[in-house]
Structure formats: structure tokens, C-alpha cells
């Protein structure tokens, strides 16, 4: 009986630890330190700041190439080289983000498949995703490369990016509230 009691206390302690790590919000300073450490490790391994959209462009081009499209004359390759996404660290970090988020949500017990409320919600998600992707491409980066990596790498461009991100969020919020809520 004493062994079972001890294991129940240990299980409760483990449950509390997992609850603290995966469910409760972390203090901002912990998140900031973890982002800084992750950025340092990422730059050390890849020799480049963290970015996401470049890998998505390469992955999309790779799929189109498999379908027979000629991607060799895309203007995107004026800015960076085309690399097979399977040999690209950015693509692997994108895959890691998705897998890591999935594992975290499973460990937190928060995974749910939700029914779509209506097609207006789907329309908003598709249009919003397109606008975010388009904006990331014309800005030569998303909030990861253009904001987080830039600021944590001491780049002035991240601080210039920030007010426009806030402005875009504000305008997007107004549009959604006016037309879709």
C-alpha cells in the first residue's frame, strides 16, 4: 500500500509539472530567454537567422516541380537559391515547429477536431492566410524572420517592422469585427 501511495504522489507531482509546462502560461521573461537561446542555437547550426517563409516557397516550388511546372525562371530565385526542401534547414525547422506544436497540444490534452461553424469562417481563414502569405513575401519575411529574428539579432529592421505589424493587426481586427462578427 505504501508503494502505491508513493507512486500516486509521484504521479500527482508529474501531472502538476506537466500542467505547469504545457498548460499554464509561462512568465514573459522565461519565454524571452527561451526564444533568445533558441535563436542562438539556430544561428549557430544554420549560420543564418531563423525564417519560415523561404522554406515554404521552396517547398511549394518543389511540389509544383514534381507536377511538371517550370520553376526555374521564378523571380524568387533572384533573392535566394532554390534548394530541394529535403536538404533545406528552414524546411526542416518548419516541419519541427508543426510536429513540436502537435506534440505539445497532445501532451496538454487540448487536441480537438472542431466542426466548422459556417463557410464564412472558412472563407475568412483562406483569405487571411493568403494575405498573410502575400504580405510575408513582399516584405521578404514574416513575423519570425522580419520581427523576432531581426530584433533578437539586433537588427534595426525588426524594430521598423514592429509598428507596421501592430497597425496591420489593428486594421485586420477592425475589418473582421465590421464585416464578419
Amino acid at each position: 500500500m505504501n508503494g502505491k501511495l508513493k507512486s500516486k504522489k509521484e504521479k500527482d507531482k508529474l501531472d502538476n509539472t506537466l500542467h505547469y509546462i504545457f498548460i499554464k502560461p509561462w512568465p514573459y521573461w522565461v519565454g524571452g530567454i527561451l526564444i533568445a537561446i533558441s535563436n542562438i542555437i539556430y544561428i549557430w547550426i544554420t549560420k543564418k537567422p531563423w525564417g519560415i517563409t523561404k522554406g515554404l516557397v521552396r517547398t511549394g516550388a518543389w511540389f509544383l516541380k514534381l507536377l511538371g511546372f517550370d520553376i526555374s525562371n521564378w523571380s524568387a530565385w533572384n533573392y535566394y537559391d532554390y534548394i530541394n526542401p529535403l536538404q533545406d534547414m528552414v524546411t526542416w525547422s518548419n516541419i519541427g515547429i508543426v510536429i513540436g506544436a502537435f506534440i505539445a497540444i497532445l501532451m496538454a490534452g487540448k487536441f480537438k477536431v472542431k466542426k466548422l461553424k459556417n463557410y464564412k469562417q472558412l472563407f475568412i481563414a483562406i483569405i487571411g492566410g493568403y494575405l498573410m502569405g502575400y504580405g510575408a513575401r513582399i516584405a521578404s519575411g514574416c513575423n519570425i524572420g522580419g520581427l523576432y529574428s531581426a530584433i533578437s539579432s539586433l537588427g534595426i529592421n525588426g524594430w521598423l517592422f514592429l509598428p507596421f505589424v501592430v497597425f496591420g493587426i489593428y486594421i485586420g481586427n477592425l475589418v473582421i469585427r465590421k464585416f464578419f462578427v
Side-chain angles (χ1 to χ4, degrees):
M1 176 105 176
N2 194 11
K4 287 183 180 180
L5 185 60
K6 183 178 177 185
S7 65
K8 180 169 176 11
K9 285 182 182 179
E10 288 173 353
K11 184 182 179 306
D12 289 343
K13 186 176 179 182
L14 177 63
D15 287 345
N16 287 340
T17 303
L18 292 176
H19 181 80
Y20 181 76
I21 292 172
F22 292 106
I23 298 174
K24 287 186 71 172
W26 293 358
Y28 291 126
W29 65 270
V30 172
I33 290 171
L34 290 174
I35 288 173
I37 291 170
S38 299
N39 193 46
I40 291 166
I41 293 169
Y42 190 88
I43 290 173
W44 180 58
I45 291 171
T46 65
K47 309 296 186 247
K48 295 177 183 172
W50 183 29
I52 290 181
T53 58
K54 188 184 324 180
L56 295 175
V57 170
R58 288 178 177 150
T59 303
W62 182 66
F63 278 118
L64 289 175
K65 191 175 179 181
L66 288 176
L67 294 174
F69 288 87
D70 179 21
I71 61 161
S72 61
N73 58 0
W74 282 14
S75 61
W77 313 138
N78 295 334
Y79 300 104
Y80 40 83
D81 297 330
Y82 172 74
I83 305 170
N84 182 328
L86 300 176
Q87 299 170 337
D88 181 26
M89 279 301 273
V90 176
T91 301
W92 285 108
S93 68
N94 290 347
I95 292 168
I97 289 168
V98 173
I99 292 171
F102 185 66
I103 290 170
I105 202 162
L106 286 176
M107 290 182 77
K110 299 290 184 180
F111 180 77
K112 293 183 208 173
V113 177
K114 292 184 178 182
K115 184 180 173 195
L116 191 63
K117 290 181 185 177
N118 56 44
Y119 287 102
K120 187 164 64 170
Q121 185 182 34
L122 178 64
F123 175 75
I124 292 168
I126 290 170
I127 296 299
Y130 174 79
L131 290 173
M132 287 172 57
Y134 181 75
R137 284 296 76 222
I138 64 171
S140 296
C142 63
N143 62 336
I144 300 297
L147 184 69
Y148 300 130
S149 287
I151 289 174
S152 63
S153 300
L154 305 176
I156 188 93
N157 60 312
W159 293 105
L160 294 172
F161 195 92
L162 179 61
F164 293 100
V165 168
V166 172
F167 180 70
I169 292 168
Y170 176 74
I171 296 299
N173 193 16
L174 289 178
V175 169
I176 286 174
R177 285 180 183 220
K178 180 166 178 82
F179 296 108
F180 299 107
V181 176

